Amino acid sequence: MLLEVHKKLQARSDRVKSVDFHPTEPWVITGLYNGSVNIYNHITGAVVKTFEVAQVPVRCVRFITRKNWFVAGSDDFQLRAFNYNTHEKVTAFEAHPDYIRCLAVHPTLSLVFTGSDDMTIKSWDWEKGWKNTVTFQGHTHYIMNIAINPKDPQTFATSCLDKTVKVWSITSPNANFTLDAHERGGVNYVEYHPDPHKPYILTTGDDRTIRVWDLLSKSCIQTLEGHTSNVSWAIYVGGGLPLIVSGSEDGTIKLWNAGTYRLENTLSYGMERVWCASLNKSGGNELAIGFDDGLVVLKLGKDEPTYSMDSSGKLIYAKGTEIQTANLALLYEEGSSMEALPDGSRVSLSLKELGATEVYPNSIQHSPNGRFVTVVGDGEYIIYTPIAWRNKAFGQGSSFAWADDSNTYAVLEGKLKVRIWRNFKEKKEALKGAGGWSVESLHGGPLLCARGNGFVVFWDWETGEIVRRIDVDSKNIYWSTSGTLVAITSDDSYFILRYDRAAYRAAVDSGASIGDEGCEEAFEIVTEISESVKTAKWIGECFIYTNSANRLNYLLGTQTNTVTQFEKPLYMLGYIPSHNRVYLVDRDMSVLVYNLSLAVVEYQTAILQRDLVTAAELLSAVPEAERNKVARFLEAQDLKSLALQVTNDTEHKFELAIALDELDLALSLAEATPAPENEVKWKMVGDTALSRWRFGLARECYRRAGDVSASFLLETALGDKNGLRKTAKDATGKGLNNIAFAALWQLGDPKAAVGLLLETDRKAEAALLARTYAPSCVPKALQSWRIELESKGKSKTAGLLADPSRGQDSELFQEGWDTALEREEQIYGKSTNGTMDIGAVLAGDSP
């Protein structure tokens, strides 16, 4: 079994005696020999919370997530519970008269079971004030572990150093039955098989073995040997992964095939003895392991399930070594309600057991015509017929690739040898350069592709010649159905290349020497996109994929479009054109559906090919709901006029009208928009009209937009007095006094400007302006200024103001004052001398 093992976390600490996963948070809790309890985030590796529980070792700790608690047992005989959010101690009491070595939390009832060196097991009900409901007696040595039966939570099993395992009912103090599990040492651990159809348990002992027991026959069916010291624990991984993992005081973790019981791998992290483990029950095949020197969290296997779907919608996937099948094409049979399903809906499939495979599958591939299915795993490949699931061919191989004709395939043996078969007979012609490069995987299509460390090489299936070798770090290769485009994905980006078969054939026919680098003209790069592709498929020339940000995107030409965002990782299953749906799966092989109209894809493809005649014919088939998306695509292709004809979105239509200088259309759209939302549109139309020298339209638009600043700029440039007067009036109404003053000044009306300053409590400025430009207004301005000063308690300052209308100040204004009044009358006229009625001026009653 070729199994990926990733170390997610390695944290040094005091000896870890117990671990447990939180079912919803990314947390692992550890009970330490120094009396502390730590909670780690196993994604970031940070210590989230720390609790000083006891002065003696904490040998067992478990989450009670229903209450936001954890419960811990220690060597001071105390059972303690803490709220892990508030750090509040919920309870603490002496549960046993000796060390508490193990505990378990019932999955549904309010019960905690504890096992102790006093040779008893006790159940405690926290809803009844932590009352001891039952004391289970019968063992004659230390209780090492408690396991609640996942198939029947009314029963549980215990392991003991008296060499036995006992099975109990939660309501009875006496054991249902006893297994003499290990003759030459105590039993350290007991664990149930997670599959309800397999009544097995695992036991580990001080005799250095793991044993598999059938509870129905109460007999040992397998003994696993390989550890060199006491075996601390053994766990079934489950989740479709047929694996048993064990840990020992010899410092190693061993991985065993749960089907063949063969040892698959041995891991060592140099952290001394292994004491405890916990499997993340919420999925992901994550395993937390406690050592003398700290904690390690492992990720076993991959999240992506093993599956394949052919072009007709026939799905085959592996659940362990069992093979199941379903037909997605039947989802839209007559009377089906699939049409009404919203995006992201789960679809129920009619599953059929197809059979089993002799290897643990790492990959499954349909041949292009769907007549065969290849399973690769455990260093072997097997070709089956998909209907009867009969073995057609098999052999050694770590990677497999089909040619487009479905009669030719290639097999990678080891890292260097690539063999090609046609009609199930090996071809004698060798691939040029094969054996000189270390190859990681093969990929099929119009050309045979091999992917290695830092390179991708393409061979011609017929001749075995190198078509092109490209230096690139890659993860996967995807050929389009037309055979002209190929996507090469890497860790942080992907490349789209166009394959020119004619250029390659021309180079070969010309007799030019084609070396190990191949023909440079065979491929040209179309685009590079900075996205990490996880899974992908081609629909014609549309590349649809899921990325590392949990989005479903598709690429046409050089433009990417997002279909939807996922809440969790999903994997591309395939696309069925007749359904107009994309199908994806999660790690549990639940199928989800999303809309992607084939008519839209075909229309966009025609646009990219600049085949506007075909595009016009296809447009009628594009659903109305997709028109706006198509219009955005057309705009990105600089086909704004066509986008304007296609879009149904008035906002987008307005933007396009502005961009195309379709001012009459933009004007009608602005008029149809209710206030005050239309102000921005009027402003945009006004700016565009101004840039096109349509001053009348610009003036009207700025007025409707209420843009006084733009109106002032325009009226000043035009020199229109009536327009300026109206702008000043609008500015006054909006409280934009600076613009109103500037407009009055441009009108050459200082008396109105003085009046505006007085109305806006700018008395001092009004008096000074009047003294310089409107002397007849000085008395009134001074009077207002004096009143303001006196109201502020500044009577002395007010008295110092010289006023020509006061007799005592008249001598101060003898020189030139009468001349100034005469000059003002000559300029503005006698009828307005001394008039500062700003309302009358703005109404047009003043020249």
Side-chain angles (χ1 to χ4, degrees):
M1 182 190 300
L2 298 176
L3 182 70
E4 299 177 9
V5 179
H6 301 286
K7 183 173 66 176
K8 293 186 62 179
L9 170 65
Q10 184 171 2
R12 297 279 177 175
S13 70
D14 202 73
R15 183 184 304 168
V16 178
K17 296 297 293 182
S18 182
V19 292
D20 191 30
F21 276 99
H22 195 285
T24 56
E25 298 289 344
W27 292 350
V28 176
I29 192 169
T30 61
L32 306 183
Y33 200 76
N34 63 10
S36 298
V37 168
N38 290 340
I39 298 179
Y40 293 86
N41 184 314
H42 58 78
I43 295 176
T44 65
V47 178
V48 179
K49 302 172 189 291
T50 298
F51 297 81
E52 299 296 332
V53 173
Q55 301 297 316
V56 294
V58 175
R59 295 186 181 271
C60 47
V61 61
R62 292 289 183 273
F63 280 113
I64 306 177
T65 53
R66 286 167 280 170
K67 306 293 289 185
N68 296 327
W69 295 347
F70 72 82
V71 61
S74 53
D75 283 2
D76 57 4
F77 321 149
Q78 296 280 310
L79 182 67
R80 297 177 174 88
F82 289 81
N83 185 307
Y84 52 72
N85 287 330
T86 65
H87 283 244
E88 173 193 3
K89 182 187 289 185
V90 177
T91 190
F93 60 90
E94 183 174 306
H96 294 267
D98 210 333
Y99 294 172
I100 302 175
R101 287 195 178 267
C102 55
L103 63 83
V105 178
H106 196 279
T108 56
L109 303 177
S110 56
L111 294 177
V112 173
F113 298 88
T114 56
S116 170
D117 287 2
D118 67 359
M119 301 180 289
T120 67
I121 306 101
K122 296 182 179 181
S123 62
W124 309 90
D125 192 329
W126 68 73
E127 295 293 351
K128 297 179 179 179
W130 295 92
K131 178 184 177 182
N132 177 203
T133 55
V134 182
T135 299
F136 306 88
Q137 296 180 329
H139 280 298
T140 59
H141 212 306
Y142 303 160
I143 312 299
M144 300 302 291
N145 186 51
I146 303 170
I148 296 175
N149 189 343
K151 297 177 284 292
D152 179 14
Q154 295 298 308
T155 61
F156 66 94
T158 56
S159 60
C160 181
L161 293 185
D162 63 6
K163 306 179 184 179
T164 69
V165 167
K166 292 182 182 291
V167 176
W168 315 75
S169 295
I170 65 173
T171 57
S172 173
N174 300 315
N176 295 344
F177 61 88
T178 301
L179 295 176
D180 294 321
H182 294 254
E183 299 85 1
R184 292 177 293 137
V187 185
N188 294 319
Y189 203 83
V190 61
E191 170 79 355
Y192 282 92
H193 198 294
D195 189 339
H197 302 294
K198 295 182 178 179
Y200 302 153
I201 62 169
L202 293 174
T203 62
T204 70
D206 290 343
D207 60 1
R208 307 176 184 178
T209 68
I210 303 109
R211 298 193 179 187
V212 184
W213 297 82
D214 187 327
L215 287 178
L216 296 181
S217 63
K218 299 181 177 57
S219 60
C220 177
I221 59 176
Q222 191 69 38
T223 300
L224 309 181
E225 298 179 346
H227 284 293
T228 59
S229 187
N230 302 340
V231 184
S232 302
W233 50 266
I235 293 175
Y236 281 109
V237 174
L241 194 61
L243 198 67
I244 296 171
V245 185
S246 61
S248 166
E249 292 180 34
D250 62 11
T252 65
I253 297 104
K254 292 186 181 293
L255 281 60
W256 313 78
N257 190 311
T260 64
Y261 300 109
R262 181 177 64 188
L263 178 62
E264 299 289 349
N265 201 355
T266 298
L267 308 173
S268 178
Y269 294 97
M271 298 180 73
E272 301 298 333
R273 294 173 293 181
V274 182
W275 291 109
C276 55
S278 176
L279 184 69
N280 191 348
K281 298 294 195 303
S282 61
N285 293 337
E286 294 164 333
L287 184 68
I289 305 168
F291 295 81
D292 270 335
D293 293 340
L295 169 72
V296 170
V297 178
L298 302 178
K299 169 77 173 178
L300 304 175
K302 58 182 182 179
D303 282 335
E304 183 180 354
T306 305
Y307 61 87
S308 177
M309 189 177 80
D310 67 10
S311 58
S312 67
K314 293 177 182 177
L315 169 66
I316 290 178
Y317 70 94
K319 190 176 181 181
T321 57
E322 298 175 356
I323 304 298
Q324 296 184 322
T325 183
N327 193 343
L328 272 68
L330 302 179
L331 292 175
Y332 276 75
E333 288 182 329
E334 186 176 353
S336 171
S337 60
M338 283 291 294
E339 291 286 354
L341 283 179
D343 280 357
S345 299
R346 295 180 185 272
V347 297
S348 57
L349 300 177
S350 178
L351 299 176
K352 176 185 175 183
E353 295 288 342
L354 196 57
T357 180
E358 290 83 355
V359 297
Y360 178 74
N362 290 323
S363 69
I364 299 178
Q365 298 179 47
H366 274 92
S367 62
N369 62 10
R371 291 182 58 195
F372 301 107
V373 176
T374 306
V375 175
V376 180
D378 296 344
E380 301 179 20
Y381 75 92
I382 306 174
I383 301 176
Y384 293 95
T385 57
I387 299 176
W389 200 247
R390 290 194 180 97
N391 186 326
K392 183 69 176 177
F394 63 92
Q396 298 295 315
S398 58
S399 186
F400 185 97
W402 285 103
D404 278 349
D405 62 6
S406 297
N407 294 318
T408 307
Y409 59 87
V411 178
L412 173 65
E413 294 184 7
K415 293 289 186 180
L416 298 174
K417 188 174 183 179
V418 179
R419 301 168 67 183
I420 296 182
W421 303 70
R422 172 167 290 169
N423 295 324
F424 303 102
K425 294 180 181 180
E426 186 174 4
K427 289 181 65 177
K428 301 303 180 184
E429 298 86 353
L431 295 172
K432 183 177 180 179
W437 302 306
S438 177
V439 176
E440 295 179 3
S441 65
L442 300 179
H443 302 268
L447 303 175
L448 172 60
C449 175
R451 186 175 59 83
N453 185 17
F455 73 91
V456 171
V457 62
F458 295 92
W459 283 290
D460 188 294
W461 282 102
E462 294 294 330
T463 65
E465 292 291 327
I466 295 176
V467 177
R468 189 77 176 100
R469 186 183 190 274
I470 302 171
D471 293 330
V472 61
D473 289 318
S474 60
K475 292 194 308 181
N476 215 328
I477 312 294
Y478 302 92
W479 278 96
S480 68
T481 51
S482 64
T484 58
L485 295 173
V486 61
I488 302 176
T489 66
S490 63
D491 286 331
D492 52 8
S493 63
Y494 67 92
F495 306 86
I496 304 296
L497 306 180
R498 188 177 300 279
Y499 172 49
D500 190 342
R501 180 179 290 275
Y504 169 68
R505 296 309 312 171
V508 172
D509 295 341
S510 68
S513 175
I514 298 179
D516 288 346
E517 296 299 316
C519 174
E520 186 174 350
E521 294 78 15
F523 287 94
E524 65 171 337
I525 187 165
V526 176
T527 187
E528 178 186 357
I529 305 295
S530 296
E531 279 191 76
S532 178
V533 174
K534 293 175 67 176
T535 56
K537 294 285 184 182
W538 282 91
I539 310 169
E541 295 194 357
C542 173
F543 184 60
I544 183 166
Y545 59 93
T546 61
N547 65 14
S548 57
N550 292 335
R551 288 193 181 96
L552 177 64
N553 290 352
Y554 69 90
L555 173 80
L556 270 170
T558 60
Q559 181 184 349
T560 59
N561 301 273
T562 297
V563 178
T564 189
Q565 172 84 47
F566 312 132
E567 294 182 356
K568 63 179 181 179
L570 296 179
Y571 310 96
M572 181 68 61
L573 186 57
Y575 179 78
I576 300 180
S578 61
H579 295 183
N580 285 330
R581 299 291 182 103
V582 179
Y583 293 95
L584 299 104
V585 295
D586 61 16
R587 64 179 305 276
D588 299 319
M589 277 306 296
S590 298
V591 178
L592 294 91
V593 61
Y594 291 89
N595 282 302
L596 181 62
S597 172
L598 180 62
V600 172
V601 174
E602 291 176 339
Y603 179 84
Q604 291 176 326
T605 302
I607 290 295
L608 289 172
Q609 296 171 347
R610 286 300 189 261
D611 187 354
L612 299 184
V613 175
T614 302
E617 295 172 354
L618 292 170
L619 182 60
S620 60
V622 175
E624 287 294 324
E626 302 288 337
R627 290 292 183 99
N628 297 331
K629 181 192 294 185
V630 169
R632 293 288 181 184
F633 172 80
L634 291 169
E635 183 182 13
Q637 300 302 313
D638 201 26
L639 296 171
K640 294 185 177 66
S641 296
L642 192 54
L644 183 61
Q645 299 172 29
V646 171
T647 185
N648 294 324
D649 183 359
T650 55
E651 295 294 327
H652 190 208
K653 188 172 291 187
F654 178 81
E655 294 171 7
L656 291 169
I658 291 294
L660 294 168
D661 291 339
E662 296 281 351
L663 292 179
D664 293 335
L665 176 59
L667 190 64
S668 64
L669 291 171
E671 288 175 340
T673 304
E677 292 84 1
N678 60 359
E679 290 183 359
V680 175
K681 291 184 178 179
W682 285 119
K683 177 71 166 62
M684 292 175 67
V685 177
D687 290 343
T688 306
L690 187 60
S691 67
R692 299 296 179 268
W693 303 93
R694 295 181 61 177
F695 299 123
L697 178 59
R699 171 185 285 165
E700 178 64 17
C701 290
Y702 288 144
R703 183 186 66 78
R704 291 199 179 191
D707 191 341
V708 177
S709 299
S711 296
F712 172 69
L713 178 63
L714 180 61
E715 300 296 355
T716 302
L718 294 175
D720 188 330
K721 287 191 173 184
N722 291 329
L724 275 173
R725 184 171 285 109
K726 183 168 181 55
T727 299
K729 182 177 181 180
D730 292 342
T732 303
K734 290 178 176 291
L736 301 175
N737 297 316
N738 287 341
I739 295 176
F741 182 88
L744 292 172
W745 196 254
Q746 289 293 325
L747 286 168
D749 197 339
K751 286 188 276 189
V754 170
L756 179 62
L757 289 174
L758 290 174
E759 286 187 5
T760 55
D761 293 327
R762 308 290 291 271
K763 315 294 186 183
E765 290 93 330
L768 294 174
L769 183 67
R771 176 65 184 89
T772 307
Y773 295 102
S776 62
C777 301
V778 167
K780 185 172 182 179
L782 286 174
Q783 181 182 2
S784 298
W785 191 6
R786 192 179 296 113
I787 292 172
E788 181 185 42
L789 290 172
E790 288 174 350
S791 67
K792 296 179 179 179
K794 298 180 180 180
S795 301
K796 185 175 181 181
T797 304
L800 295 175
L801 294 177
D803 185 348
S805 63
R806 292 192 309 182
Q808 65 268 31
D809 296 330
S810 58
E811 62 181 16
L812 298 175
F813 294 91
Q814 288 180 359
E815 185 176 350
W817 181 251
D818 292 336
T819 303
L821 292 174
E822 290 173 1
R823 183 61 178 161
E824 179 186 7
E825 183 179 346
Q826 291 173 6
I827 295 173
Y828 300 112
K830 184 175 181 179
S831 61
T832 63
N833 278 351
T835 299
M836 294 179 291
D837 186 349
I838 184 66
V841 171
L842 295 179
D845 297 335
S846 177

